[in-house]
Structures are given as structure tokens and as C-alpha cells.
Amino acid sequence: MKRNVIFLVTAFFFIITMCGAVSATENTTGGMGNDSQAPVDPIIGVKVNYEFPSDNSINPEITVKDSNGTKIAVDKKYDLAFQGYKLSFNYTGAVNGTKFNLIVAAPGYTTQTKELGVIFDPKNSSDPNLYGSASFNMMATANYKLGRTVTSKANQILNFSKADNVLVITTAGVPKLNGVTSEDCIEGILNAGNGKFSYGKNNVLMLRQTANDPVDFAFITKKGTNLQVVVFRNGSTTPIYTGTISENMTKAQWNTFVQKVNSENAWSFASLANAWAAGAPADVLREAAFHTHVCEGTLGGYTITKVLLQYYPPIPASSGVGSPGDITSYKILGVPGDSDDDAVMYFLDATPGKGGYAGFDTTSTGATKNMLGFIRWIDAKYSVVNNTYVLTPGTGTGDLVVMSYDKAKLKKAFQTETGITSSGSLEELKYNSWLLKKIKSNPTQLVDFYYELTGLTEENFYYLLGTSTNVTFPTDVNATNKGQVRFSAQNAHGLDIAYIKSLNLTNATRSNNVTNSSQLTYEQIKQIGIDAANLAKQTFKNELGMELEKEDMDLAIITSAGYVYLNGQTSEATWDGIYDVLGSRLSRSTLLPVHQGIWKPLWFNFVLRGLDGNTMSSVYLRYNPNNSTFFVGTNTNGSQVNDIGPMALNNATRITNLSKFVIPDGNWVNIQSIANAWRNDPAFDQLMTFLFHNHACPGVQPGFFITDYIQNNLPLSGNQSYFYTGASIFCKDDSLLYLLGVSPGMGTYMNQRTSNEELISSILPGGTDQGVVVRWDPVTKTGKAFVISFKWPTYNLDGLNTNEAQRCAMIDAFIALYKGEESPYIKTTFSVAQSKDTYITEAMFKQLQSGDAMELMNTWKPMTHAEAIAAQGGSTNNGTQNNNNGTHVDNGASNNNGGSNDNGPTSVGVSPTSVSAVSETTNQPADGKAYEVSEKSSTKQDSDNNWAYALVGILAIGGLVGFGFMRGKN
């Protein structure tokens, strides 16, 4: 592709390029015509025009392949006089009329291919070179056009240049439009915005949505205290609402906004826009976009995180479920249904799939929904004394802290200070702004500590978090008790307050880890990104003699920026610095922010995909904020550019050197796994899941197929929504969160780690029951439930000698399967199936949320829909419903031991009972009151704030019963 640019004499090129304009397939003989053994250097002129002229500055990807499909290394240079690109390369055996394929690609545009024959210069018989030329008129993708069009229309209405600030909130990204994921819409917004929007300015917010959700846009301008919005829905370029979105709007204006938008996103847009206007930190807005809105629970979880890090800062991370990347600094015990669960999970990078979050409804033990437990755990280590394994002192122990934010106290203070005592959506917007000010001034005053305990034992740890397999002594030393069971497999008990109170543990001692903000400007933080990109460019040039091209689609920047802090400040502005130098950004899948805890170091890894598609030349940089310098990862041989591709991963010595000296910050697995997954051009939704999980692994990938299975075999309609409670907890739970649209904070995801013996699938020989899926209908108050099962594929891993190489091959295989392609690494494919189908009542639904879901599903006698309705005295009339899809309820439990691991079952590579892939199926009000909009909607409702529970569908009958947030629900 684009390598080793050579600066040739342009005047001579223009003459021969004009000759090359002769019919590309014409077999005119000239020059050294018939001497096919002479050295020949084909030179091809390529002109690229874009459908949108303002995109003409985009540097296209131009690939040259021979007739056998082999990529050819070319030198590429843009010539101003020619207004096109000059490609020169060596090709042994080229003769007059030899044909090559030119492939031109650019972000937001449809890739084009042309066959081109090169010819000798008919006017210069002494010229040994072959020439050709081609022009490409690139056509924008439908999604890119949509993004550009809505941006231009919004600008015409709102006049971005006159605003103090601008913001766009969109569902585009994972949702599919025109048959593909919709990240091109965001690319169109960024390009049409002429610099007004950028990831680094944090004024592009992408709501977490599912593949089946509509693509919506809200453009907001801020001028003084006035917020104006233009909303586009369902992929339309016609705005459905234009007007105010400010917290200071009248009730009549609010009603109009709700009626016009007519979707769950009315609250998403309004809450995010007003929090943005009130100065919410950038990471709070991004977490709220993940959660889909700003609310009291979101801000409460942020506050709890800040206080936790002040008094109980992280200690070395403890191990996770399976993959070397499954490590977290905290284990969270939550009670799903309050938005704070999503916030702490997000900021601490303690996700269910990494064993970092465990939770189901434990309110019967004395817990409340806004309680959160945090465990700082030191993994058990054992030494041999007198030929017997004994626990190494200081290991296998930890601290347990239980916290919450006092809703009633905060709301009372809000009433006292503001005089606002009425309830409704507008009041909630004002409450959010008030709460943000409180958080900035003194977050500790908003948090209550229930328990601060130390001396947690392994027995306590496994009781709370569960273990799917027996915990045993090690077997690598011939001790008398090697391999003996220390703790038997048991189900998780979650945030069991009664049990915690019974432990009588010693009180823990607080630290006081106060971080002073450095007060860097946007431009100063952006400059760090510029400096990192320029240093990487210089390093590649020094070692490999190559120039990194701007907008090179073979270059990815993997970074902790955007999640980690710089002396108390967020670091996303570095993204814009990288974009200015290298043209890399998330919507192009070339800037890849990796989920990290906010205390981790700021690092950048630049990785260049080689011509062979496997070489991954990498440069690692870590920023030192104390002196504004960069550590550059250097191998023992002095090399700062190192291959981290499949060949390197199959060499144990190279892995040791790379992980110890080159990428030494405990992030080797994160970087190399995502880099090698990206090498295979995964779909955007897969890539986003890898980034959220913070590494790629085979363990996260079953979630892609389970999500597809659920959406295809249990589709949503009307106000219905999904609920998932996990039993076999491993990496795939993170992909379920991201792709199925469920989460603990929404109350739609829960988990309770269960013994493996209880999870042997009754429908898939060799498979495992993963959890229970429910499609809940809030109108009939019934749900369709079933157990979802997964059977791992078996692999062909011949010649792969290391764990890293084997995991890489498995990841490659799953990516190929997701694309519908064959993989040489697959022996027998995976299977997904459902069993124990039944309809359930509301009472049964509540039972599922209180634990032992798998046991309940085994116990219940199947019911039909009519029987479930009749059981609770209901009617089969589904009533008024709107067209919103999805429901987000999440709760999960997970720990660092047992469970299916990252690589699948222990029999990976061994062919078990053959089972083919299965796809089983089963068959404006007159009273002038302000409407309250669901924080997530009637279909994706969040139980954090019942004040916002009212269904948008009720608008159709002109009335609303409000649930005021002042009532202190939950």
C-alpha cells in the first residue's frame, strides 16, 4: 500500500501520464516492448474525486493488486500540478498490456475497483517504464449522506457559527441502517460540521443502542442560557422538532417537545443537553450516553466513584474469570435497578464480563437499590511449608466498603435551596443541574458510608461473589494437599447485607488520596496528542524509513485517552491532536479508545498493518505528566518499532520481551488483542464491544451470536423490552450489555454466578446454559422467558505454540464467523439454542430478579400467554402501545474464579460430540400539565427514577399520570 514515499521529478511524470491516458487496455508496443526480462517500473496516475467536494482533501486508500490478487507495495505521492496521485512500483515480468486492479477506498465512501492495463510510452521508445492512468468518482454511502445532510439542515436552522457552543447526540453507530452499522452517519456529521464537532471537544455523544434501534439525531446550540434543538428521527432528513430544549422551557413547550419527538430519546436528548450546558464533566456525559441519559443515579454513581477513589484508592488489580485481560481493581456488589450501578461499573472499568460486577435483587437482606459494595481484593497465593501448601500472609484477603447516596436528603436540600417543590420532568432537569454544582464543590457530603471493613477472607469472598467450580490448592508442586478442595462451588449471594453484618470484621482505615486538577486547557491537552502522533511518525521513519500517511486505513491508534485522567482532568482532547496529525478517529475505526480505570496511565499505541495483512508494526508511548515527556517502549535489541502480529504471538521469548520491556504497563493483552482483532476488519459493533470489554478475546464473542439469536427469535414489539439474568458469567456478558441494550443501571441485566454442575445444557450435548432471557411486556405484565444455551466450537490450532497465538486464532475465527466466512481454525462450529420456554407473570418476573433464576426455570411448569394473563387476572388486550423497541434492564454477578473461561471449555481443540449449529425458534393535555418522559422509555425503562415512568404511548389518549421524583421512590 502506502510505503516508502519517493519524491520523483514531476515534470517528466506529467508527460508520460498524458501518454498513459491512451486506452488503458490498448496493446500498443513501444520502448523496450518485447523484452519481458528487462526491469520494468509501472507508473500509474490516479485521480480521485468525491461526491462532496469539501471531502477532496481526504487522502484515499489506494491498493494495487496483480491478476492473482496479490497486493503490491507501491510508492504513493500526491502531485499538485497533476491534482492526483502517482503510484510507482516494481513488478517483475510486467509487459505491455499487463493488467492490475486498483482499489480505492475512503471513509464514508463506497469502495471502487478498476482493472487497468499498463502500456509503454508510444512516443519514447527508449523509456523502459509502463504507464497507466485512471479516474475514480467516489460515491458516498447512504449513511454518510444522511449524516452530512442532517448536519447541513441543522446548521441552516440553528446557525452553528452564532452559537456559544454546539452539541450533537445520536443513536448512530451500532444500529443498522441500510443493512449496515451506522458509524458512517457520524463520519458525515464530523465532516459536514467543518470543525464544529469533534470527539475531542466531547460534543459528539453516541447513545448506546441495539442493532434494531432507529437512527436519530439531535443538534443543540447553546447561546447564553438558551438551548435550541433540531431533532431528526428514524433516519429521516426532515426534522420532527425545532425549538427550545432548555430546562427553563415552559410546560407547554415541554409537552410539544415530547409529543413531537414521541420516543424514549426525548428524555435522553433533554437530560444530556442540559447537563452539558451545566458543565458536566466530559466523562460523565459519555457514561450517561452509555446509560442513555443523565439522572440522579448517574450523578450519584459518579460521586460515589470520586469518594471511593479518595478514601480507598485502587491496589494492584486482582485476577478475573479466564483471560489474562480479565483483571479489575475493584469487585462491585450491586442491586440492579438504580443508575449508579452503570456509573461505577463504567468509571472503574469493573464490568461483569471481567468478573468486576455482581448483582441481583438482594433487598430482602437489608440492601437498598442505591447501595453499592466495593471489594479491594488481593489474590490468594500459596507457599509450601513442611511439604504442605499454606496461604501466604497478606494474600487471599481484602477490604469491603458499602456506600450509597442519600436521595431523600438531597431532594430535601434541593427543595430548601431552590424553592422548587413540584414534580415533573422539567424539575428533574433543574435538579440535575443543581446536583452537578454540589458534586463540583464537595462530593463527599453527598455520600453515605454504611460499612468500611477489612480482613475479608476467601470464604467471605466466594460466598458473596460465588464460584462456578471448586477452589483447590495448586497442583504444580508435590505438596501433600495439592489439588485438594478448599472451597466448594457455590452460587453467588451478592450484596447480602445480613451476611455482611454477621461477619463482625475490623473497621478499615481510610486513605485521603486527594488529586488536584492541573487546569490544562483544551489546546494544551490536544497538544499531547499532536506530540504523541509526531513522535510515533518520527520513530517509524527512523527505524523503518517510512512516512506514516495521514488517514491511512492501515494505521490504528489504540489508547487509554478519554477514560484516564491527567491530574484530575479528562484526556479526550488528545484525540483531536491525533486526528490533526494522522486523521484517525473512532468513526473510521482507526482511533480506538480502550476502556480503562480513570487512575490508569495515559498511553498510546500506534500499530501499522503490513502488506501481508499479518505484520503489525507497533510503537508504544506512555505520557509522563510530571515533565511532559514520553516513555517509548524499547525492546532488548534496541528496537522501538516491534511486530505484535500473529507471528510474534507464536514466539514465547518475543512475548516476554514485548510485555516486559515494550508494553510494560500491564496492558500488553489489551493492546495486542485489540490490534490483532482490528487487523481482521471486524464489524463496528464487534469493535465497540472489544473496546468496552477493554480487550479482545474468544470469551467475549459468543455474546455477538447470543444477541443475534435473541433478537431474531424473540423480537420486540410495542413497549416490550429485554431482561437478562446471567448464570454462567464470563466475558460474553460484556458484549450482551453493549449489543442487547441491557445494563445493571437500567435494571435489565442481573447475574448470579452459578455452579457449573447446574448449568449442563439439556438441549446441547457439551453445551452450557448461560442464563435466562425475558421479553417483558409492561402492558400485559407478562413475559416470554427461556434459558439460552451455548456450545463452543472446536478449533484447529496446529502449529500454534503459545496461549497468545491460540487466543488470537480463536478471535480471528469468531470474526470470520460473524462475517459469514469460513475459518481454517474451526473444526466444528458453535451452537446456540433455547429451552424451558414459558410465559411468566409479574410475580414470577420478580422472583427471577431475586436470584436462583436457573432453578426457578427448572421448577416452573410451562404456561401459555393466555394462561399467564389469566393467572394474574389480566386481559389479552395489549392496549395502546408505541413503536419503541427494546428494554434495558441489567444486573450481574461475577467473580474472579471459575466459570467458563476466555478460551472456551477446557476441551478446546478436542472434538466432542458433534453438534451442528442450531437455530431453534419458538413458535397535549387540556390541563396544561407537563408530560413526564421515561428516562429510557416505556420500552427501555429505568427503575432508578419512577417519576419518569409514564409511557409515551399515553400521549395518544391525551392524559398522563405523573410519578414525581420528589416522592423519593427507590
Side-chain angles (χ1 to χ4, degrees):
M1 276 178 201
K2 306 181 287 279
R3 304 288 182 266
N4 301 326
V5 177
I6 300 175
F7 295 90
L8 303 177
V9 180
T10 59
F12 175 71
F13 170 68
F14 296 139
I15 297 173
I16 59 178
T17 301
M18 292 300 294
C19 296
V22 179
S23 173
T25 59
E26 188 175 319
N27 289 325
T28 305
T29 302
M32 300 178 69
N34 296 321
D35 185 0
S36 61
Q37 301 305 312
V40 178
D41 296 323
I43 300 174
I44 299 174
V46 178
K47 290 192 174 184
V48 180
N49 301 304
Y50 293 97
E51 182 173 350
F52 292 92
S54 61
D55 289 337
N56 284 335
S57 61
I58 294 176
N59 181 24
E61 183 85 1
I62 305 178
T63 303
V64 180
K65 293 183 179 180
D66 64 16
S67 58
N68 296 318
T70 302
K71 288 185 179 180
I72 301 171
V74 303
D75 293 315
K76 172 187 169 189
K77 176 185 176 182
Y78 186 81
D79 195 292
L80 289 173
F82 174 59
Q83 294 190 341
Y85 298 89
K86 179 169 57 180
L87 310 179
S88 58
F89 55 97
N90 297 320
Y91 191 81
T92 302
V95 297
N96 203 57
T98 295
K99 294 181 179 180
F100 298 95
N101 287 311
L102 303 182
I103 303 102
V104 176
Y109 284 83
T110 301
T111 299
Q112 293 187 22
T113 301
K114 289 187 177 182
E115 187 180 66
L116 175 72
V118 292
I119 62 173
F120 289 112
D121 181 359
K123 298 182 179 180
N124 186 353
S125 60
S126 63
D127 187 348
N129 297 314
L130 293 160
Y131 301 99
S133 65
S135 293
F136 290 80
N137 294 314
M138 302 293 287
M139 304 303 296
T141 66
N143 291 345
Y144 181 75
K145 286 182 183 179
L146 174 61
R148 289 200 65 121
T149 301
V150 294
T151 306
S152 297
K153 287 192 174 183
N155 188 25
Q156 291 171 5
I157 297 169
L158 297 176
N159 196 347
F160 298 155
S161 64
K162 297 293 184 180
D164 298 334
N165 218 332
V166 294
L167 171 71
V168 61
I169 306 167
T170 180
T171 63
V174 171
K176 291 187 177 179
L177 186 64
N178 301 305
V180 294
T181 54
S182 50
E183 69 274 15
D184 273 2
C185 293
I186 303 175
E187 183 70 13
I189 291 170
L190 294 170
N191 288 347
N194 295 318
K196 288 290 183 181
F197 301 100
S198 77
Y199 287 111
K201 293 175 182 175
N202 202 51
N203 63 354
V204 179
L205 297 178
M206 185 175 73
L207 297 177
R208 177 177 58 106
Q209 300 281 277
T210 74
N212 296 333
D213 283 315
V215 174
D216 297 349
F217 309 90
F219 293 87
I220 299 104
T221 56
K222 179 179 182 292
K223 194 169 184 180
T225 59
N226 181 34
L227 297 182
Q228 293 288 310
V229 66
V230 175
V231 178
F232 302 85
R233 284 214 61 211
N234 296 317
S236 172
T237 58
T238 301
I240 52 94
Y241 175 78
T242 300
T244 181
I245 198 174
S246 171
E247 65 182 43
N248 298 315
M249 72 177 87
T250 66
K251 291 184 177 180
Q253 289 171 323
W254 175 257
N255 290 343
T256 300
F257 168 67
V258 171
Q259 289 174 321
K260 294 286 188 182
V261 175
N262 191 29
S263 97
E264 64 203 35
N265 289 331
W267 178 253
S268 300
F269 297 153
S271 63
L272 282 162
N274 282 280
W276 166 75
D283 56 339
V284 170
L285 292 174
R286 286 194 295 274
E287 187 282 323
F290 170 84
H291 182 61
T292 71
H293 60 263
V294 178
C295 60
E296 180 184 41
T298 297
L299 301 177
Y302 173 68
T303 307
I304 287 173
T305 300
K306 291 180 72 70
V307 175
L308 175 71
L309 294 178
Q310 178 177 342
Y311 292 132
Y312 293 95
I315 57 178
S318 57
S319 62
V321 177
S323 167
D326 292 341
I327 56 174
T328 60
S329 295
Y330 298 92
K331 312 299 180 188
I332 302 171
L333 299 170
V335 184
D338 192 284
S339 304
D340 56 357
D341 290 55
D342 281 359
V344 296
M345 177 187 71
Y346 183 93
F347 294 121
L348 300 178
D349 185 27
T351 57
K354 291 193 296 293
Y357 178 90
F360 54 97
D361 187 352
T362 55
T363 53
S364 62
T365 72
T368 64
K369 285 195 174 181
N370 61 326
M371 271 188 184
L372 286 162
F374 301 93
I375 296 175
R376 295 192 305 179
W377 184 249
I378 301 173
D379 283 331
K381 294 183 179 179
Y382 291 87
S383 54
V384 178
V385 178
N386 296 327
N387 202 35
T388 303
Y389 275 116
V390 296
L391 180 67
T392 302
T395 69
T397 187
D399 303 321
L400 172 61
V401 178
V402 180
M403 308 164 66
S404 76
Y405 60 99
D406 192 328
K407 291 184 175 185
K409 180 175 69 176
L410 290 171
K411 289 169 182 174
K412 184 177 181 180
F414 172 70
Q415 290 177 331
T416 301
E417 293 183 23
T418 64
I420 298 174
T421 57
S422 58
S423 61
S425 301
L426 293 179
E427 288 79 10
E428 184 70 6
L429 291 176
K430 293 180 174 67
Y431 177 62
N432 288 345
S433 297
W434 174 86
L435 192 52
L436 277 166
K437 293 177 183 177
K438 291 293 182 182
I439 293 171
K440 289 179 181 179
S441 62
N442 186 5
T444 57
Q445 67 179 332
L446 308 179
V447 172
D448 291 326
F449 284 87
Y450 289 92
Y451 305 99
E452 300 173 74
L453 306 172
T454 193
L456 200 69
T457 68
E458 285 188 280
E459 180 181 3
N460 309 147
F461 184 81
Y462 293 121
Y463 177 91
L464 297 171
L465 291 166
T467 172
S468 58
T469 59
N470 293 336
V471 179
T472 63
F473 286 105
T475 58
D476 52 351
V477 174
N478 193 26
T480 57
N481 56 347
K482 70 174 183 178
Q484 291 181 8
V485 174
R486 294 186 289 120
F487 300 100
S488 298
Q490 63 176 309
N491 293 0
H493 291 79
L495 189 59
D496 185 334
I497 294 298
Y499 173 77
I500 291 170
K501 290 171 65 175
S502 73
L503 296 178
N504 297 316
L505 297 176
T506 304
N507 290 335
T509 302
R510 294 182 181 180
S511 302
N512 194 16
N513 184 35
V514 178
T515 300
N516 295 320
S517 178
S518 57
Q519 297 304 311
L520 296 174
T521 66
Y522 162 82
E523 292 296 339
Q524 287 174 317
I525 299 176
K526 177 182 176 180
Q527 187 62 46
I528 296 171
I530 292 173
D531 293 343
N534 283 327
L535 178 55
K537 287 183 66 175
Q538 189 62 49
T539 304
F540 273 97
K541 186 173 182 179
N542 290 345
E543 289 206 13
L544 302 184
M546 65 171 56
E547 295 278 357
L548 294 183
E549 280 192 80
K550 188 172 184 179
E551 294 163 320
D552 190 342
M553 294 166 67
D554 285 316
L555 176 70
I557 294 86
I558 305 167
T559 179
S560 63
Y563 287 104
V564 301
Y565 281 9
L566 281 172
N567 294 332
Q569 287 183 268
T570 57
S571 53
E572 66 283 337
T574 58
W575 297 341
D576 284 353
I578 291 171
Y579 173 75
D580 282 358
V581 177
L582 294 172
S584 307
R585 58 190 180 200
L586 182 60
S587 56
R588 297 176 173 181
S589 297
T590 52
L591 179 64
L592 308 178
V594 178
H595 197 180
Q596 299 277 274
I598 61 180
W599 60 90
K600 295 289 185 72
L602 175 61
W603 50 260
F604 308 88
N605 194 86
F606 299 77
V607 60
L608 187 67
R609 179 169 46 196
L611 193 67
D612 59 3
N614 287 314
T615 302
M616 302 292 284
S617 300
S618 168
V619 171
Y620 177 77
L621 308 176
R622 184 209 315 126
Y623 182 69
N624 184 350
N626 295 323
N627 57 16
S628 301
T629 61
F630 290 94
F631 161 84
V632 183
T634 306
N635 213 330
T636 53
N637 62 2
S639 173
Q640 294 181 332
V641 180
N642 293 276
D643 179 24
I644 61 171
M647 185 176 296
L649 297 183
N650 204 29
N651 184 307
T653 300
R654 293 174 70 178
I655 290 172
T656 298
N657 289 336
L658 289 168
S659 60
K660 185 176 180 179
F661 301 108
V662 181
I663 305 177
D665 297 320
N667 48 358
W668 157 249
V669 170
N670 310 78
I671 289 171
Q672 65 85 0
S673 66
I674 289 177
N676 281 292
W678 172 86
R679 171 177 53 83
N680 293 286
D681 295 318
F684 186 75
D685 51 357
Q686 283 186 304
L687 192 57
M688 292 299 295
T689 298
F690 292 141
L691 295 175
F692 173 68
H693 185 55
N694 94 9
H695 62 278
C697 63
V700 78
Q701 291 170 292
F704 307 153
F705 302 99
I706 292 173
T707 296
D708 284 349
Y709 183 91
I710 293 170
Q711 291 175 336
N712 291 333
N713 292 284
L714 197 67
L716 299 174
S717 64
N719 298 320
Q720 295 173 343
S721 60
Y722 290 126
F723 169 85
Y724 182 87
T725 182
S728 176
I729 314 302
F730 58 100
C731 309
K732 66 97 177 52
D733 285 64
D734 282 357
S735 50
L736 289 177
L737 258 64
Y738 208 92
L739 300 178
L740 192 59
V742 296
S743 77
M746 302 303 299
T748 50
Y749 171 90
M750 301 182 179
N751 66 21
Q752 181 183 27
R753 186 177 298 283
T754 303
S755 166
N756 280 348
E757 291 185 1
E758 298 181 35
L759 299 178
I760 298 172
S761 175
S762 62
I763 193 171
L764 285 179
T768 304
D769 291 340
Q770 299 298 313
V772 178
V773 182
V774 179
R775 180 182 63 194
W776 181 249
D777 190 324
V779 177
T780 64
K781 296 188 183 302
T782 62
K784 175 66 180 296
F786 61 68
V787 172
I788 192 82
S789 302
F790 183 82
K791 180 186 176 184
W792 292 88
T794 58
Y795 305 101
N796 174 18
L797 303 177
D798 295 343
L800 301 179
N801 306 314
T802 68
N803 290 332
E804 283 85 348
Q806 291 173 4
R807 279 196 300 271
C808 181
M810 296 176 196
I811 295 168
D812 290 357
F814 270 117
I815 290 175
L817 290 173
Y818 199 62
K819 292 179 179 180
E821 301 172 352
E822 293 185 357
S823 169
Y825 300 116
I826 294 292
K827 287 184 178 179
T828 61
T829 192
F830 67 90
S831 301
V832 181
Q834 66 189 65
S835 62
K836 303 177 177 63
D837 300 21
T838 184
Y839 278 89
I840 61 174
T841 65
E842 187 172 26
M844 296 165 73
F845 190 32
K846 289 180 180 178
Q847 281 184 277
L848 281 178
Q849 298 175 49
S850 298
D852 298 324
M854 301 301 295
E855 181 179 343
L856 289 168
M857 291 295 290
N858 287 325
T859 302
W860 287 336
K861 178 182 177 182
M863 283 196 297
T864 65
H865 193 199
E867 288 171 337
I869 292 174
Q872 53 191 22
S875 166
T876 56
N877 181 1
N878 287 339
T880 303
Q881 298 184 358
N882 66 22
N883 61 354
N884 299 328
N885 290 330
T887 182
H888 294 201
V889 178
D890 194 350
N891 189 326
S894 146
N895 79 352
N896 71 344
N897 189 352
S900 299
N901 65 27
D902 171 61
N903 297 333
T906 55
S907 60
V908 164
V910 179
S911 196
T913 303
S914 177
V915 177
S916 60
V918 293
S919 179
E920 290 85 0
T921 61
T922 61
N923 299 314
Q924 85 211 251
D927 58 12
K929 294 180 180 178
Y931 287 118
E932 298 178 23
V933 179
S934 163
E935 289 187 18
K936 192 54 201 156
S937 90
S938 49
T939 67
K940 299 181 180 178
Q941 82 198 33
D942 179 354
S943 57
D944 177 53
N945 287 318
N946 284 346
W947 60 269
Y949 183 81
L951 303 181
V952 176
I954 296 178
L955 294 173
I957 58 175
L960 174 70
V961 178
F963 294 88
F965 77 96
M966 294 297 183
R967 299 179 189 176
K969 300 217 175 201
N970 292 337

